[in-house]
């Protein structure tokens, strides 16, 4: 039984001129401990899928069809209390901008305690806090800092630590490194690999950066206009893509890859 | 033959009795018909360099000027124009494409065109940035255009003043990947038109695609510079090496342990 | 304007405000001061076939008073609203756009005016102007006082908005296109603040109606003039509540209420139009039969 089983998920947004379909009957699965990459550009619906699965979709968005099974239970039919239990314990999410997910007026320690109080009913002990920060190789002295005092990369690592505090089975990352530089990105991705070895969680990694997904995923799903174009292993995707859009994405990547020999893009 | 000269540009400012050096004495030359890239992470000062050239920030020391057959003169808006990073925020939402293009024409050209000539010039500009047929775009508002189209309008606006040099500050970082290549190709074509382009970016891939020369900036200081091919295939400075090694490749080489940098946490 | 008409709230608001305006124009043109100020009927006569709205303690025609008195109140309120907004724009937008020293200097002025207690100042100034000059008539004096005391609030709001907008790249791009600061403010900045300016004008007018009528009600207007405020003043002077002469204040009061209500509706509607998420809640509920979240924010990506 797979960890996450999405069947014909349809998500719409209520607009002035009618409803817009953001996710159109999408189906995919994530097995235990699997790393699934979700590739798509703006408007593809990739972020919407993540929010729908986490059940944190905001008005004017709403789920209009399909089922989402987490460990065999349809989470679209869960009550608010059941969802609260599910979120963060079993499934957690890291957002694109830690600026969006970290409260600017709370110290890092308070962010953790805030979450712990809501989820565990008690504050975290100091040793728990140190352990969680150690996951992302941040020093304990940062606990008393505020988000604006940390660099973008550090903030994102705090976001990852927060998400992993309760050791969920599935971690969803929505463009976690898009706003960061390649050097910081590499550092964070290496940390993610290490954590997966340590804790064994499954990952849904959402980004437009195809090379990252090809390098790290067990499977890559390519999305466009709310639909799945391809759902293949990295090797198959690179060499035998079926959908023309996948080929377009691969082409834009192929031109600009550092290891390839010099391209003829110059002097057009 | 004109050259854009950056001579010892330096920008510092004081934050609560400490002096922060954003750009530490940067010099370079850009000729017509070439694309030079300034590469660095956020906070490296590369955007500040661009803004100093355009006069949007005043340098603490140093200057930017144009050198031609008559000698030296300071940069004017007729010489250098800028393309901004965010195609949505750099166009005025209440003005049509036409207005965006005609204003710099009227204000900055030596002999501003009028009437029919103005209309023809606008159409020519739109064709130049590959927004054809121009009739379809002239009367539209920015929010009805896609990101790529908006950025082309922004490029057209910069070209409307008929500058010799263009400074592009992260022109493709907010665009979808599938259209970045086309926009970069446009810059290539402009280079063939004898424009000099200063490309500010953190994306080594776009540097590789179109830049002739590269300057690598780290924390305000230029650590390495040279021909693109040489810098990317055989970087000398450890920071440049780190940068090159961190660019994602589909085989995952970028994730492997790097003996140069180890894996020191920040 | 099309957007305004399509919105139900705006439509009702526009109709109300429009009716009051028409009433004011009609009344001012067809009646004269004499009609409203002369004794023409019985003392405190209730509404009847001769005098549809009855008569006051002095035997004045309430109908005439209501229709004729509309014009000064309504037109002056609109003028005050425009005047207040003009000053708010002048101080607020300039401060927000320039920043730095200009902002600091203007901010001091704005804050000083903000701190001055409005009502006492209004009363003092009104009294002074009344006694000082007979050139400035009562209502105009009040208008000047209200403009003088009412502008700082709007200035604060406009300043913040101007500050935020001034940071956006398209303003810098305008500078690079050769535009000077005045051109940028009028051609680039203000058009992007249109909805805020609209709500400012409506809000200022609403404030003006209330304050103007209030001052006149308290007796600081010109008792000889005929305005909605003085109508209420005389109604109270003549103990309308005690004598049960409801017709001497009801028509005027209703007029004020309807005008104010119309303005408030227009303000809400403008809010809805510029912030689509507000209207979206209603549409969402109708279309999906679900309850929208409490914290509805339009989060659609800008791309």
């Amino acid at each position: 039984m797979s960890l996450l089983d999405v069947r014909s998920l349809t998500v719409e947004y209520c607009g002035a001129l009618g409803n817009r379909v953001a996710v159109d009957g999408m189906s995919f699965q994530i097995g235990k401990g699997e790393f699934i990459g979700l590739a798509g550009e703006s408007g593809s619906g990739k972020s919407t899928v993540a929010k729908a699965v986490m059940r944190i979709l905001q008005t004017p968005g709403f789920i209009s069809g399909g089922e989402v099974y987490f460990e065999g239970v349809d989470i679209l039919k869960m009550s608010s209390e059941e969802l609260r239990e599910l979120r963060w314990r079993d499934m957690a999410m890291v957002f694109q901008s830690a600026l969006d997910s970290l409260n600017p007026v709370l110290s890092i320690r308070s962010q953790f305690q805030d979450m712990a109080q809501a989820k565990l009913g008690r504050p975290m002990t100091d040793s728990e806090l140190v352990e969680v920060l150690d996951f992302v190789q941040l020093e304990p002295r940062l606990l008393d800092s505020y988000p604006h005092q940390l660099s973008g990369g550090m903030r994102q690592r705090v976001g990852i630590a927060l998400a992993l505090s309760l050791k969920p089975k599935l971690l969803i990352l929505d463009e976690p490194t898009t706003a960061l530089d390649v050097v910081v990105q590499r550092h964070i991705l290496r940390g993610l690999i290490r954590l997966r070895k340590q804790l064994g969680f499954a990952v849904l990694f959402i980004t437009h950066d195809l090379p990252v997904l090809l390098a790290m995923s067990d499977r890559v799903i390519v999305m466009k206009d709310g639909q799945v174009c391809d759902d293949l292993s990295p090797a198959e995707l690179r060499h035998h893509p079926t959908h023309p859009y996948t080929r377009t994405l691969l082409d834009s990547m192929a031109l600009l890859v550092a290891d390839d020999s010099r391209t003829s893009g110059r002097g057009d | 033959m004109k050259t854009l000269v950056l001579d010892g540009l330096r920008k510092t400012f004081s934050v609560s009795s400490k002096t922060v050096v954003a750009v530490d004495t940067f010099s370079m030359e850009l000729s017509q018909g070439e694309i030079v890239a300034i590469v660095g992470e956020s906070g490296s000062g590369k955007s500040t360099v661009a803004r100093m050239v355009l006069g949007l920030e005043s340098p603490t020391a140093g200057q930017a000027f144009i050198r031609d057959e008559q000698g030296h003169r300071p940069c004017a808006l007729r010489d250098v124009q800028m393309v901004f990073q965010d195609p949505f925020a750099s166009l005025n939402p209440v003005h049509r494409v036409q207005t965006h293009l005609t204003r710099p024409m009227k204000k900055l050209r030596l002999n501003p065109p009028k009437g029919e000539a103005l209309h023809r010039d606008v159409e020519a500009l739109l064709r130049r940035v590959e927004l054809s047929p121009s009739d379809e775009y002239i009367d539209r508002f920015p929010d009805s255009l896609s990101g790529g189209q908006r950025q082309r309008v922004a490029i057209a606006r910069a070209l409307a003043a008929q500058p010799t040099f263009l400074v592009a500050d992260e022109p493709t970082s907010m665009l979808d990947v599938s259209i970045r290549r086309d926009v970069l190709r446009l810059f290539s074509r402009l280079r063939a038109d004898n424009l000099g382009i200063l490309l500010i970016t953190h994306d080594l891939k776009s540097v590789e695609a179109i830049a002739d020369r590269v300057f690598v900036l780290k924390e305000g200081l230029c650590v390495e510079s040279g021909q693109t091919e040489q810098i990317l295939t055989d970087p000398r400075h450890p920071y440049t090496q780190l940068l090159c090694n961190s660019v994602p490749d589909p085989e995952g080489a970028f994730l492997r342990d790097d003996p140069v940098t180890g894996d020191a946490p920040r | 304007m099309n957007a305004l008409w399509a919105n139900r709230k705006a439509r009702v608001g526009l109709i109300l405000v429009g009716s009051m305006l028409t009433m004011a124009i009609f009344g001012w043109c067809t009646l004269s001061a004499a009609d409203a100020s002369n004794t023409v009927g019985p003392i405190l006569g209730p509404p009847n076939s001769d005098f549809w709205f009855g008569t006051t303690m002095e035997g004045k025609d309430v109908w005439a008073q209501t229709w004729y008195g509309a014009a000064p109140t309504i037109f002056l309120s609109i003028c005050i609203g425009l005047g207040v907004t003009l000053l708010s724009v002048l101080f607020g937008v300039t401060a927000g756009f320039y920043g730095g020293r200009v902002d600091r200097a203007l901010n001091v002025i704005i804050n000083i005016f903000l701190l001055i207690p409005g009502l006492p100042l209004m009363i003092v100034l009104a009294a002074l102007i009344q006694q000082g000059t007979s050139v400035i008539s009562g209502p105009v004096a009040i208008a000047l006082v209200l403009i003088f005391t009412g502008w700082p609030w709007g200035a604060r709001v406009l300043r913040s908005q101007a500050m935020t907008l001034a940071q956006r790249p398209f303003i810098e791009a305008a500078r690079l296109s050769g535009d000077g600061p005045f051109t940028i403010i009028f051609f680039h900045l203000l058009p992007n603040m249109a909805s805020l300016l609209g709500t400012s004008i409506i809000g200022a007018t609403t404030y003006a109606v209330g304050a103007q009528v209030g001052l006149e009600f308290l007796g600081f207007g010109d008792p000889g003039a005929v305005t909605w405020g003085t109508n209420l003043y005389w109604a109270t002077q003549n103990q309308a509540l005690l004598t049960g002469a409801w017709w001497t204040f009801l028509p005027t009061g209703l007029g004020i209420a309807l005008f104010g209500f119309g303005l408030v509706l227009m303000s809400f509607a403008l809010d809805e139009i510029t912030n689509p998420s507000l209207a979206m809640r209603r549409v969402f509920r109708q279309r999906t039969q679900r309850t929208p979240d409490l914290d509805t924010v339009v989060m659609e990506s800008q791309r």
Side-chain angles (χ1 to χ4, degrees), chain A residues 41 186 190 238 256 266, chain B residues 178 205 209 251 254-255 257:
Chain A
E41 298 181 308
R186 173 179 169 270
R190 282 173 55 98
R238 264 191 100 182
L256 311 169
R266 289 207 334 246
Chain B
S178 56
K205 301 180 195 174
E251 286 85 19
F254 76 111
L255 293 166
D257 275 331

Side-chain angles (χ1 to χ4, degrees), chain C residues 159-245:
Chain C
R159 173 180 169 268
S160 323
Q161 172 84 320
M163 232 188 234
T164 316
L165 278 175
Q167 316 276 26
R168 302 204 46 201
F170 73 82
I171 297 289
E172 284 192 324
R175 279 167 64 185
L176 294 182
S177 291
D179 284 331
F182 281 134
T183 317
I184 295 182
I185 291 181
F186 284 104
F187 194 67
H188 291 276
L189 198 62
L190 287 179
N192 274 293
M193 297 174 62
S195 61
L196 192 58
L197 289 172
T199 45
S200 291
I201 294 177
I202 296 176
T205 309
T206 314
Y207 149 79
V209 173
Q212 183 189 9
V213 168
L215 279 178
E216 289 175 338
F217 180 75
L218 290 173
F220 294 103
D222 175 5
V226 178
T227 73
W228 277 353
T230 57
N231 288 353
L232 292 180
Y233 170 71
W234 283 115
T236 5
Q237 288 295 99
N238 295 327
Q239 315 281 36
L241 285 171
L242 271 179
T243 59

